[in-house]
């Protein structure tokens, strides 16, 4: 892929470098700075004329900054003659505001998608798909969703003996069931009722026994951590042997990581779509695989 360059954004430098190495592309970091008034300055690391430019930028932390960086980079690469501009969003922000929950609210996911149309296409790792049929339904450019599920399944197989896989809510079946299937066990998806962003109630099924089991709770995102904490409480009540929380994207808002540890999680594991101390699963292999297939 010698005619291909990978440009790493502020949040995803290391991941972008790994992807570049895997697809034998030249790597460069997007140079960003702040003007004195707080506006974003951006410069490409080298010319991209006639090249395929792959921009890798996860949208956490600082989602608004990351979004601007991605838009500026895509448009600049296009203006400077890149023959193809591909966005890779290891974590794509604003997907959870996927409807107008209350009158007069901004329906953010579609607006965010429209802002990325300077690129030719976008690849997203495990987008949060809840009330939309798929990622493509909000994008006008081709949008491909890829998943870290097989990498998470491999991690569980290597590190957790006889796991019991739990998905905390109906949406988590996309992750929990596929991961469990790869390990050739069954997943149990629980029922969750969310009252506010900080108040959720989760019910365990009556016939589910977790006593002395290695419980693995799998979800796409840990944000406030309340979803995981509710399941941890139930697993502790049932005297589970160990409790591992695994998510693709570790947002850990409002000190969620220490809250999860305090609640009794034995281990907390995430991928490197968002960089954290918990990022033990590297998603560069699935991104590179997708880019090689294009
Ligand atoms: C919701 O449908 C998602 O799959 C996650 O369960 C949710 O976003 C986690 O949020 P929190 O950590 O704030 O409970």
């Amino acid at each position: 892929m010698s005619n291909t360059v990978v440009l790493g954004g502020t949040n995803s430098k290391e991941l972008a470098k790994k992807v570049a190495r895997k697809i034998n592309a030249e790597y460069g970091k997007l140079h960003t700075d702040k003007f004195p008034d707080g506006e974003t300055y951006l410069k490409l690391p080298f010319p991209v004329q006639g090249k395929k430019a792959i921009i890798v930028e996860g949208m956490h932390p600082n989602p608004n900054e990351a979004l601007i960086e991605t838009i500026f980079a895509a448009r600049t690469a296009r203006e400077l003659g890149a023959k193809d501009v591909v966005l890779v969003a290891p974590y794509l922000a604003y997907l959870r505001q996927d409807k107008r929950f209350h009158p007069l609210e901004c329906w953010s996911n579609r607006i965010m998608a429209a802002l990325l149309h300077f690129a030719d296409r976008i690849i997203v790792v495990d987008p949060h798909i809840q009330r939309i049929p798929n990622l493509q339904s909000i994008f006008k450019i081709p949008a491909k969703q890829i998943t870290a599920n097989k990498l998470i399944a491999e991690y569980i197989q290597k590190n957790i003996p006889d796991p019991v896989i739990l998905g905390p809510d109906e949406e988590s079946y996309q992750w929990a069931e596929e991961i469990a299937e790869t390990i050739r066990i069954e997943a149990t998806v629980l029922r969750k009722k969310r009252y506010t962003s900080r108040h959720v109630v989760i019910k365990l099924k009556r016939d589910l026994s977790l006593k002395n089991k290695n419980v693995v709770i799998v979800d796409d995102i840990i944000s406030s951590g309340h979803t995981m904490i509710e399941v941890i409480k139930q697993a502790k009540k049932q005297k589970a042997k160990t409790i591992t929380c695994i998510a693709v994207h570790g947002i850990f808002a409002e000190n969620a990581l220490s809250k999860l540890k305090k609640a009794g999680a034995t281990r907390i594991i995430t991928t490197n779509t968002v960089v954290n101390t918990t990022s033990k699963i590297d998603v560069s292999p699935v991104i590179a695989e997708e880019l090689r297939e294009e």
Side-chain angles (χ1 to χ4, degrees):
M1 288 200 169
S2 55
N3 219 22
T4 301
V5 297
V6 174
L7 306 172
T10 306
N11 287 335
S12 302
K13 298 180 286 282
E14 292 311 314
L15 177 57
K17 223 184 271 177
K18 284 185 180 141
V19 170
R21 224 175 285 139
K22 287 196 166 67
I23 62 170
N24 292 322
E26 188 180 357
Y27 170 76
K29 183 195 162 327
L30 289 171
H31 176 61
T32 56
D33 207 344
K34 285 277 173 217
F35 288 108
D37 57 5
E39 292 176 359
T40 297
Y41 168 90
L42 182 137
K43 188 179 171 195
L44 304 186
F46 38 61
V48 294
Q49 171 122 32
K51 306 216 166 167
K52 174 174 179 175
I54 299 168
I55 298 161
V56 183
E57 173 66 326
M59 292 189 192
H60 190 85
N62 306 317
N64 299 341
E65 292 287 320
L67 186 57
I68 283 289
E69 195 174 312
T70 307
I71 296 165
F72 283 11
R75 175 66 192 240
T76 308
R78 155 97 48 250
E79 285 175 358
L80 296 181
K83 75 169 181 351
D84 206 9
V85 180
V86 181
L87 298 182
V88 175
Y91 171 67
L92 185 60
Y94 287 112
L95 286 175
R96 283 180 295 169
Q97 191 70 14
D98 57 3
K99 72 173 204 177
R100 218 178 300 285
F101 293 93
H102 303 287
L104 307 181
E105 267 183 2
C106 167
W107 188 331
S108 325
N109 69 344
R110 300 179 306 176
I111 302 173
M112 174 277 300
L115 292 171
L116 297 175
H117 73 260
F118 295 123
D120 291 299
R121 62 192 162 282
I122 183 165
I123 297 165
V124 181
V125 182
D126 287 304
H128 184 82
I129 304 294
Q130 194 164 350
R131 280 162 284 263
I132 56 172
N134 51 46
L135 188 66
Q136 188 63 68
S137 63
I138 57 165
F139 275 95
K140 292 210 170 71
I141 55 172
K144 181 81 191 272
Q145 41 191 99
I146 59 174
T147 178
N149 279 350
K150 74 171 182 197
L151 303 171
I152 294 177
E154 274 166 29
Y155 177 90
I156 296 172
Q157 273 177 313
K158 260 190 223 150
N159 295 287
I160 304 164
D162 300 324
V164 173
I165 308 276
L166 298 183
D169 54 22
E170 281 87 356
E171 288 81 47
S172 65
Y173 79 88
Q174 304 162 56
W175 293 274
E177 287 191 347
E178 200 178 300
I179 289 166
E181 223 172 86
T182 310
I183 309 177
R184 294 179 200 285
I185 56 175
E186 268 187 30
T188 302
V189 173
L190 308 175
R191 289 213 341 263
K192 172 170 97 178
K193 180 136 179 65
R194 183 179 284 281
Y195 293 95
T196 67
S197 57
R198 295 181 183 81
H199 180 205
V200 297
V201 173
I202 292 178
K203 290 212 167 77
L204 279 198
K205 295 186 172 156
R206 273 209 205 105
D207 56 348
L208 182 69
S209 164
L210 301 177
K211 192 164 182 195
N212 288 327
K213 299 275 170 63
N214 290 319
V215 170
V216 181
I217 315 162
V218 178
D219 208 351
D220 60 334
I221 302 176
I222 302 175
S223 183
S224 70
H226 286 100
T227 301
M228 286 282 181
I229 289 170
E230 284 306 303
V231 189
I232 294 171
K233 280 188 200 158
Q234 310 266 5
K236 269 181 68 180
K237 225 188 269 171
Q238 285 216 17
K239 305 210 177 329
K241 190 161 139 201
T242 63
I243 306 167
T244 304
C245 302
I246 303 189
V248 182
H249 313 294
I251 303 294
F252 300 125
E254 300 174 342
N255 236 357
L257 187 53
S258 44
K259 287 182 194 159
L260 286 170
K261 287 180 189 160
K262 213 162 138 201
T266 317
R267 285 193 207 90
I268 302 148
I269 303 294
T270 61
T271 75
N272 56 351
T273 59
V274 178
V275 179
N276 277 303
T277 50
T278 54
S279 304
K280 304 286 184 221
I281 300 171
D282 172 26
V283 295
S284 67
V286 288
I287 296 174
E289 193 178 300
E290 177 59 30
L291 290 168
R292 275 193 223 103
E293 274 172 18
E294 285 200 317

